[in-house]
Amino acid sequence: MAFHVVIPARYASSRLPAKPLLDIGGLPMVVRVVEQALLSGAASVVVATDHARIAEVVRDHGYAALMTREDHASGTDRIAEVVGACGWGDDAIVVNVQGDEPLIAPTLIADVAANLAEQADAAIATACHPVHEHEVMFNPNAVKVVLDARGYAMYFSRAPIPYARDAFAAGVVLPAQMPVYRHVGIYAYRAAFLRAYASLAPAAIEQYEALEQLRAMWHGYRISVAVTAEAPAAGVDTEEDLLRVRALFS
């Protein structure tokens, strides 16, 4: 099964300016991400960026980079531009790996791509992992997903879903056997969906929840979800994250 990886890497970041270029164990963070992606078995790995310095650094290390428009509203739009530029066919599988995840497991990338390949009805595949902590369940920054019998997403939300009405009313913190899954922000797309994405009108639920994947679901596209046993390594969003990851590499 062939698949491609595209790594969106924007220069601007409110909390960590020039984040893709920050040093992680002697290499720029975006280069660390490329190296992890290459270990997944991808047919190609391309960094999609809006900044010439990022493209230059990636190419200097011997990897592929593509300059994309600065005005993309989302990483998905940026990946769609890459699909067009590379001329990939509608059935091509394209995995979006964020440029601030230098610890991403290559197996996770491969598993999400394989999940999409196996689910002919799906336009998108993503991942989740079980959670058992009350704090995670009720944390709006932790996105939850409910699955159907075939492993397709029924809904994503920042709210606690599914909601254990009787158990919560009785004071139970979190029922032990209740299937609660936290969404992992990695996506595999069919190229045909990416070509159609720009024409999809935003959905109200997407805007209220601030969850981009709900636009696809609102328009009838199906999302298959691979369940992993454990949470993946966290990305780099803050200075504290950066120090933690640097310590691991040192």
Side-chain angles (χ1 to χ4, degrees), residues 104-236:
I104 190 167
T107 53
L108 176 60
I109 300 171
D111 287 349
V112 172
N115 184 278
L116 184 56
E118 293 166 2
Q119 301 290 353
D121 294 340
I124 306 168
T126 187
C128 69
H129 65 88
V131 294
H132 309 285
E133 300 82 15
H134 176 270
E135 293 78 14
V136 176
M137 178 67 156
F138 286 85
N139 180 356
N141 294 318
V143 178
K144 278 70 66 176
V145 59
V146 174
L147 310 180
D148 70 10
R150 293 181 57 196
Y152 286 102
M154 296 174 67
Y155 193 63
F156 295 85
S157 183
R158 299 181 182 278
I161 58 170
Y163 194 87
R165 185 195 64 176
D166 296 341
F168 291 155
V172 177
V173 174
L174 195 63
Q177 302 305 317
M178 188 168 70
V180 179
Y181 297 107
R182 181 175 184 174
H183 179 228
V184 177
I186 182 172
Y187 296 95
Y189 304 98
R190 297 193 193 281
F193 168 80
L194 290 168
R195 290 192 171 94
Y197 180 79
S199 65
L200 300 180
I205 55 171
E206 166 201 3
Q207 296 173 322
Y208 283 115
E209 291 262 21
L211 295 175
E212 183 182 329
Q213 64 270 38
L214 293 176
R215 182 187 308 185
M217 294 186 68
W218 192 80
H219 284 278
Y221 290 96
R222 303 192 74 184
I223 302 177
S224 182
V225 187
V227 180
T228 66
E230 299 177 355
V236 177

Side-chain angles (χ1 to χ4, degrees), residues 10-115:
R10 292 179 61 250
Y11 187 85
S13 172
S14 58
R15 288 184 285 188
L16 288 173
K19 183 163 63 170
L21 300 178
L22 295 174
D23 181 86
I24 302 286
L27 288 175
M29 177 156 46
V30 67
V31 173
R32 290 285 185 192
V33 179
V34 171
E35 291 181 341
Q36 292 298 97
L38 286 168
L39 294 174
S40 71
S44 66
V45 177
V46 180
V47 173
T49 185
D50 59 354
H51 198 277
R53 178 59 182 153
I54 294 174
E56 178 184 9
V57 165
V58 170
R59 292 168 183 155
D60 285 348
H61 284 83
Y63 303 125
L66 187 67
M67 290 295 299
T68 53
R69 300 195 334 248
E70 296 182 6
D71 60 347
H72 283 306
S74 70
T76 307
D77 293 294
R78 196 172 304 281
I79 293 170
E81 182 180 348
V82 174
V83 167
C86 292
W88 293 329
D90 283 350
D91 291 332
I93 292 175
V94 184
V95 183
N96 174 358
V97 174
Q98 295 302 312
D100 58 3
E101 297 192 21
L103 298 175
I104 190 167
T107 53
L108 176 60
I109 300 171
D111 287 349
V112 172
N115 184 278

